[in-house]
Amino acid sequence: MSVDRWNTALVLGGIRSGKSAFAEALVADAASVRYVATAAGGEDDPGWMNRIEAHQRRRPQTWSTEETGADPGRLAAVLAEAKPDDTLLIDDLGGWVATLLDPANQPQDDVELVTALAAAVQGCAGRVVLVSPEVGLSLVPATPVGRAFADALGTTNQALAAVCDRVALVVAGQTTWIKPGPAAAEPDVLDPAPAPASVPAPAAPTIVAPPAQPPVEATPDLVVQPDVSAADDEDVVFEPGMDLPMPDQDAGPDARDRLATLDLSGGGVGPLAEAIEFAAGTQSTAQPRPWTSPRVLLLSGAHSGGAAAGDDQADVDRRVNAAAGGEGALIRLAGRAGADVAVVRTQPSNAMEDGPVLSAAEVDEALRRGWALAAAAARDGRDVLVIAACGVGTDAAAAAVLSATTGAEPVAVLPRVLAPGGTFDDNSWMVRCAAVRDALHRIRHESRGAQDILAQLGGADVAVATGVLLGAAARQLPVLLDGPVGIAAGLVARDLGSQVRHWCLVPDAGTFALVKQGADVLGLTPVTSLGLDLGEGLNALAALPLISTAIGLAADLPVHPALLAGHDD
């Protein structure tokens, strides 16, 4: 059952209403989805095949497709075979009813098949979302076949609505829950930042919050504006060989050794030991405590030229403004992790292929701003930082930094350009590749110092993130990295202070080669391999509860009695 306490949902809507896209958003949090296609035939109809191909392009590669074909009884069998960890998306019941009424399948007991389907949905062990056309709002069809279809579909919709936990109606892309389900009476108190019911958030783990839940504004401290005017190190000099502290070199190994002695019935915490050892070193104790006061720094930058190909500035502004207003997926995950969020808008950066993206003075200003943000977090009692980013052209800028500092091939590390709906814009990706290539060619004879890389390629957001990492290390404040901007900043910061990487942790490997390769160069081993692609900062926040649980468990569990000194044999 989902965190919204539902297991089955029926999504109704007219033609081109957006019902399928909404249904896909409902299961976007699933690791994999079995897409059950009910349509049969249509190979000779180009328009129909175009619709099917559009649906196929929208599906993530992790989804599998199963076709029920011309057998109307197959759908109930698929539901009966589902396992508890399966997620099924059935699209749509109009195709199933058309197959049901096909003369080739007659005579048969249509009512019995509808009843069997409803029972299969109700008894399904997996999570099920069904899509169905709502034809009851139109005129009564003029033909006998049309009336039979409308009647059968109406009967089917009623039968399934009766057994589904929740029912939604989608009209013109707007969604209304007409059967809210038990979550309306039992609000999810763990979700401090619900999205509006009419705007499903595909990347968020919950689907649609019932109106009875408190709005985001109920947690006014979630979004903060750090005071960066009171920086206590205004005379800091950013140069190679900065004198920065190191984590405790003994506490980490001691904590890892202690894990082998804990009173566990199983073999241990597995890869989560990486996070426990990191926390031990940064807290100077073999029994570290989970972080309780994270701060998320959402960096929003804009890169001009080819780096920005395929990015929508208006969409980026919408997401950043939503976070600043206490809404969106980042806010939801931050609230669950007990974190506050600071939105940091950086100055625009010039086109890397045409010349320097920043002046030397602008680089220094951005570094100092990041340093001050880390100082403010320490003053505010924050015990860990999370670098998040949402901007235009940031992936290309980060790929350029990685290529310039490690010699990596841009085409091997530049992330593909993801368009709304889960499709990829490869033309824009090629434009970005060309911009990075031209920029690297332009600076082939230039100095490759840290500030030079930021001025020529990285831009303001990467420079601010670099200042954050340096400032955090100076104040012995750990930082979680999970995306291109944070990794690029780590690669630049190591050339100013090699100690910085020891204060950084990568919670999840994600899906980007850029992040994996950059982390490897920094000597950082991702704690988990969940394959998350929620956005920079969101991956870390999603994994943080699991990591914190492991750290707390390791601290609280005693040593196995058999390993205590002086135990009885």
Side-chain angles (χ1 to χ4, degrees):
M1 183 167 289
S2 78
V3 294
D4 280 331
R5 302 182 180 89
W6 65 271
N7 198 63
T8 53
L10 174 65
V11 179
L12 302 170
I15 298 172
R16 296 295 190 187
S17 63
K19 60 184 183 296
S20 292
F22 178 76
E24 291 164 10
L26 295 185
V27 298
D29 62 318
S32 63
V33 174
R34 291 173 63 190
Y35 185 98
V36 182
T38 61
E43 291 81 2
D44 298 330
D45 185 344
W48 180 249
M49 295 309 296
N50 288 339
R51 285 174 177 261
I52 293 177
E53 290 174 2
H55 278 250
Q56 292 172 340
R57 288 194 300 269
R58 205 164 60 210
R59 298 172 207 161
Q61 294 180 351
T62 56
W63 290 17
S64 61
T65 301
E66 184 163 346
E67 297 181 358
T68 56
D71 179 8
R74 175 60 186 154
L75 182 55
V78 170
L79 291 164
E81 295 165 0
K83 297 179 174 55
D85 57 349
D86 285 346
T87 298
L88 282 71
L89 174 56
I90 300 170
D91 193 357
D92 68 7
L93 292 178
W96 182 80
V97 168
T99 301
L100 188 71
L101 299 178
D102 190 326
N105 292 320
Q106 299 298 329
Q108 64 183 352
D109 190 337
D110 297 344
V111 174
E112 181 180 352
L113 284 173
V114 171
T115 302
L117 177 61
V121 170
Q122 188 173 30
C124 183
R127 190 180 178 195
V128 183
V129 175
L130 304 105
V131 181
S132 185
E134 176 49 66
V135 296
L137 302 178
S138 61
L139 297 175
V140 176
T143 64
V145 173
R147 289 192 294 272
F149 176 80
D151 290 345
L153 186 57
T155 299
T156 302
N157 286 346
Q158 289 188 51
L160 292 175
V163 299
C164 283
D165 299 324
R166 307 189 75 178
V167 180
L169 177 64
V170 183
V171 179
Q174 307 302 304
T175 304
T176 298
W177 287 104
I178 56 179
K179 184 178 181 181
E186 303 176 24
D188 184 358
V189 296
L190 296 179
D191 186 359
S198 62
V199 185
T206 54
I207 299 152
V208 172
Q213 287 187 330
V216 173
E217 289 74 14
T219 53
D221 294 334
L222 199 60
V223 181
V224 298
Q225 294 182 340
D227 180 11
V228 297
S229 62
D232 51 5
D233 292 283
E234 294 182 358
D235 60 344
V236 62
V237 177
F238 297 101
E239 60 184 6
M242 293 179 68
D243 185 16
L244 300 173
M246 284 283 290
D248 190 313
Q249 299 299 293
D250 296 325
D254 289 347
R256 185 177 285 270
D257 291 342
R258 185 176 180 277
L259 291 176
T261 71
L262 296 182
D263 188 8
L264 289 168
S265 58
V269 297
L272 295 173
E274 185 75 22
I276 296 171
E277 183 174 356
F278 172 80
T282 56
Q283 296 179 28
S284 298
T285 174
Q287 292 181 260
R289 306 304 306 178
W291 300 296
T292 58
S293 301
R295 170 163 293 175
V296 181
L297 297 176
L298 175 59
L299 307 179
S300 179
H303 298 257
S304 303
D311 280 340
D312 183 350
Q313 181 68 64
D315 190 55
V316 169
D317 291 341
R318 177 184 65 82
R319 293 184 185 279
V320 174
N321 290 335
E327 300 177 352
L330 179 72
I331 296 295
R332 297 166 76 97
L333 291 175
R336 292 184 173 185
D340 63 14
V341 178
V343 177
V344 182
R345 293 180 172 87
T346 65
Q347 73 174 78
S349 303
N350 299 324
M352 67 173 72
E353 62 268 39
D354 296 336
V357 297
L358 295 177
S359 67
E362 289 170 334
V363 169
D364 189 70
E365 179 182 355
L367 288 170
R368 292 183 184 280
R369 187 181 184 190
W371 183 278
L373 287 167
R379 284 197 308 273
D380 293 343
R382 300 288 117 179
D383 55 9
V384 66
L385 294 177
V386 179
I387 299 294
C390 180
V392 172
T394 54
D395 286 355
V401 170
L402 177 64
S403 297
T405 55
T406 69
E409 287 291 336
V411 295
V413 297
L414 180 64
R416 295 180 70 184
V417 181
L418 183 65
T423 59
F424 290 103
D425 183 354
D426 289 334
N427 288 331
S428 293
W429 178 82
M430 288 188 285
V431 174
R432 293 186 186 185
C433 283
V436 174
R437 177 202 63 202
D438 292 347
L440 293 174
H441 180 75
R442 178 180 59 78
I443 67 167
R444 65 191 183 281
H445 299 310
E446 301 290 338
S447 173
R448 299 291 179 97
Q451 283 97 329
D452 301 314
I453 292 296
L454 293 173
Q456 297 288 354
L457 304 172
D461 47 0
V462 177
V464 170
T466 302
V468 169
L469 297 184
L470 293 166
R475 291 160 183 82
Q476 303 183 46
L477 189 61
V479 184
L480 306 185
L481 309 175
D482 72 346
V485 171
I487 290 295
L491 293 168
V492 176
R494 66 170 182 161
D495 290 337
L496 295 173
S498 59
Q499 307 91 329
V500 166
R501 69 180 185 87
H502 297 283
W503 294 96
C504 297
L505 181 73
V506 179
D508 184 67
T511 61
F512 288 171
L514 189 160
V515 174
K516 296 175 183 177
Q517 187 164 334
D520 185 61
V521 171
L522 290 171
L524 304 178
T525 302
V527 178
T528 65
S529 297
L530 302 177
L532 299 176
D533 189 10
L534 303 176
E536 185 157 3
L538 281 77
N539 293 345
L541 289 172
L544 188 54
L546 174 63
I547 292 173
S548 294
T549 297
I551 295 173
L553 187 66
D556 294 338
L557 284 179
V559 173
H560 194 285
L563 300 176
L564 293 174
H567 68 276
D568 294 331
D569 293 329

